[in-house]
Amino acid sequence: MQRTLAARLLLLAASLISTATAVQQPFDATPRITFTSAAESHGVADFTGQQVVRFTTASHAQHQALLQRAHALGLDVWAAHRGSACSTSPDAHVYGCVDVRLASEDGAERDWMAQLMQPFPQHKRPHAQTMIEDVQQLVAAQRSEVDEEEEEEVEAMREDKWHRDYHTFDEITAYMRMLEHSYPTHAQLVQLGTTHEGRPILGLKISDDLPVPTPDPQPEPQPDPPANTTASARGKLGIVVTGGQHAREWVSTSSALYFASDLLAAALGVPSNSSSPVEVARRGKKRARKVWSKKQARLMLSSFSITVVPVSNPDGYVYSWDKNRMWRKNRQPNHFPSGLFCKGVDVNRNYDYGFASSSNACSEMYSGSAPFTSAEARAIATYVEDARNGVVGFFDLHSYGQLMMYPFSADCALQPADEEDLLEASLGAIKAVKAVDGKAFTAGKICEVYAVAGGNAVDWAYAASKDTQGQQKAKVKWSFSIELRDGGTYGFLLPKKQIVPAASETSAALAYILSFIQKKSF
């Protein structure tokens, strides 16, 4: 009887999901939709033959219609940019561009295209350009070893050897602990919270004159690391840099960690221990382009208490390594029935500003049933709002698009009171980025150059009046979202040889804005 009841419940759930996501289709169309969020197989997801296509749109109405159609079909929208952020498009007059991953099982690609274009008359269809021919080829390339034949070409980057590869969550945690051990008065590991699957959400706090923890001689279990230290209480400005809120955006995690390592090394030099990975990472005949001078780096450490959270979504990040490279959300279970087969909440849609709940738990952008239902968003928000951390700046790293953005995301009718300062800092940052390797970034409000979306971390940090406990919250004036490399050629699957250049650009942008804030504040 119990098995029969369970079977009926499963059939009912499947029926409800089918009804909720059904779309009218032509009689002869046989699309086979594969929801990334619904893929819970025991094997590793394979993307062989799947393409990423860029559609350039000519108007707001066409842009929105395309997005709505893609979401209705359950397709994976990689990016939706607007205006000058789509300047590489072949079209002369472009409103925006939307990158969509088309699942192409057994030659069904033409069906996907036909279904996606169905609402548009033949003469008014968005221009389509294939950006990635085979997603699986790029996934495999990210897993491969660094090509030894390229060693001579990257000799100048030998000092960044460790950073020239993507790393697992455990490797990143070990590296953060190594930095803490190597710079005991300038780097401390802090734990912001714990994920649904029990992983720690770790940050590396860097500043000068941090208190050195006294080891306990008793081998007894210790409590979790504190969420705060006293650095900000001594008059320093708090800065938070997050990466990896979206699990598949690996280069944001790599860039956040590179920034912390680069700043410490510039201010203090490499550790004296020759066996340290930092020591090994910084050997070489030539030095890469320097972002920091020693004087500037030390000024930053004396002015700020900077907390870098490279893996803001540990469960999702691990899953993107072990099971599904295209995983975006966290890994918490959702409520019956729509969430029975579809796990996860989009962490960067789960903050309590402009939040809009959604019913489709299978969506890549599922915001959750209520604000702060994700442990990750709640942990980051709690840390940012804690007055003891003195946070005045919040930088949320993502990929891709090469965008330097500030509020608002939820509503373009809203104007940030500090827009003059935010825009000036953004323009200076993209100029600093271009000086690194010639890459052009676009600056502007999130809703103008990227997309309109509620529940965004940057909007919450800047404008939310209440904290996670419903108490008065201070505004974080210097709130930015940075979309890193590239422009769409590789998307989320940026080759390893571009990690250090992308991370150097990130450090250059942060260095400029931190100097800008320092001059405005002291």
Side-chain angles (χ1 to χ4, degrees), residues 93-110:
H93 303 287
V94 173
Y95 173 84
C97 51
V98 179
D99 295 353
V100 182
R101 177 168 63 90
L102 301 179
S104 55
E105 299 179 13
D106 301 326
E109 177 191 328
R110 287 189 298 275

Side-chain angles (χ1 to χ4, degrees), residues 334-349:
N334 292 309
H335 295 299
F336 181 86
S338 65
L340 185 61
F341 302 111
C342 299
K343 286 186 176 181
V345 165
D346 184 339
V347 178
N348 200 36
R349 297 291 184 271

Side-chain angles (χ1 to χ4, degrees), residues 491-514:
F492 303 123
L493 302 169
L494 198 70
K496 293 179 181 181
K497 64 182 179 181
Q498 291 196 39
I499 297 174
V500 170
S504 297
E505 291 163 355
T506 305
S507 288
L510 293 175
Y512 179 87
I513 297 182
L514 289 179

Side-chain angles (χ1 to χ4, degrees), residues 176 179-180 182-183 185-188 204-208 210 257-271 278 282 292 297-298 301:
M176 293 170 72
L179 289 176
E180 179 186 43
S182 300
Y183 303 101
T185 61
H186 290 76
Q188 284 187 355
L204 188 72
K205 176 166 279 191
I206 53 180
S207 188
D208 65 0
L210 290 175
L257 196 56
Y258 180 94
F259 163 75
S261 173
D262 193 44
L263 177 56
L264 287 167
L268 306 167
V270 297
V278 172
R282 297 190 177 274
W292 310 91
R298 290 188 171 183
L301 293 180

Side-chain angles (χ1 to χ4, degrees), residues 153-401:
E153 299 178 13
V154 296
E155 184 67 36
M157 295 191 298
R158 277 187 178 275
E159 61 177 9
D160 303 299
K161 185 177 180 180
W162 192 88
H163 294 284
R164 288 195 290 114
D165 202 352
Y166 294 107
H167 295 278
T168 66
F169 177 71
D170 289 341
E171 290 170 345
I172 290 169
T173 300
Y175 190 83
M176 293 170 72
R177 294 190 184 282
M178 181 277 300
L179 289 176
E180 179 186 43
H181 176 75
S182 300
Y183 303 101
T185 61
H186 290 76
Q188 284 187 355
L189 210 60
V190 295
Q191 182 168 337
L192 282 66
T194 304
T195 68
H196 171 76
E197 295 182 350
R199 294 183 178 88
I201 303 168
L202 298 174
L204 188 72
K205 176 166 279 191
I206 53 180
S207 188
D208 65 0
D209 298 324
L210 290 175
V212 179
T214 303
D216 190 336
Q218 301 298 323
E220 299 177 355
Q222 297 298 305
D224 290 338
N228 316 288
T229 68
T230 58
S232 293
R234 295 198 295 270
K236 297 192 179 180
L237 303 177
I239 301 293
V240 174
V241 180
T242 57
Q245 284 207 78
H246 293 147
R248 62 189 177 187
E249 298 171 10
W250 287 4
V251 75
S252 68
T253 289
S254 300
S255 295
L257 196 56
Y258 180 94
F259 163 75
S261 173
D262 193 44
L263 177 56
L264 287 167
L268 306 167
V270 297
S272 58
N273 182 0
S274 61
S275 64
S276 164
V278 172
E279 176 83 9
V280 174
R282 297 190 177 274
R283 293 173 185 167
K285 299 177 182 179
K286 302 177 182 178
R287 292 189 57 82
R289 184 191 303 273
K290 291 177 62 175
V291 170
W292 310 91
S293 67
K294 179 182 289 189
K295 180 179 179 180
Q296 182 193 21
R298 290 188 171 183
L299 178 62
M300 295 302 101
L301 293 180
S302 66
S303 303
F304 298 104
S305 174
I306 304 170
T307 303
V308 179
V309 188
V311 188
S312 301
N313 176 9
D315 292 350
Y317 186 76
V318 170
Y319 196 78
S320 74
W321 271 84
D322 294 346
K323 294 291 186 180
N324 189 332
R325 179 62 186 86
M326 289 298 103
W327 192 263
R328 169 186 170 99
K329 302 187 291 183
N330 69 7
R331 293 289 299 162
Q332 71 186 62
N334 292 309
H335 295 299
F336 181 86
S338 65
L340 185 61
F341 302 111
C342 299
K343 286 186 176 181
V345 165
D346 184 339
V347 178
N348 200 36
R349 297 291 184 271
N350 194 236
Y351 292 82
D352 194 10
Y353 188 88
F355 176 84
S357 62
S358 55
S359 58
N360 183 10
C362 294
S363 169
E364 294 295 330
M365 300 179 185
Y366 177 58
S367 58
S369 58
F372 295 128
T373 52
S374 76
E376 297 83 4
R378 191 165 60 250
I380 292 169
T382 299
Y383 190 86
V384 169
E385 70 194 18
D386 192 327
R388 292 171 294 178
N389 292 323
V391 177
V392 300
F394 178 71
F395 300 85
D396 190 25
L397 307 184
H398 290 269
S399 73
Y400 56 96

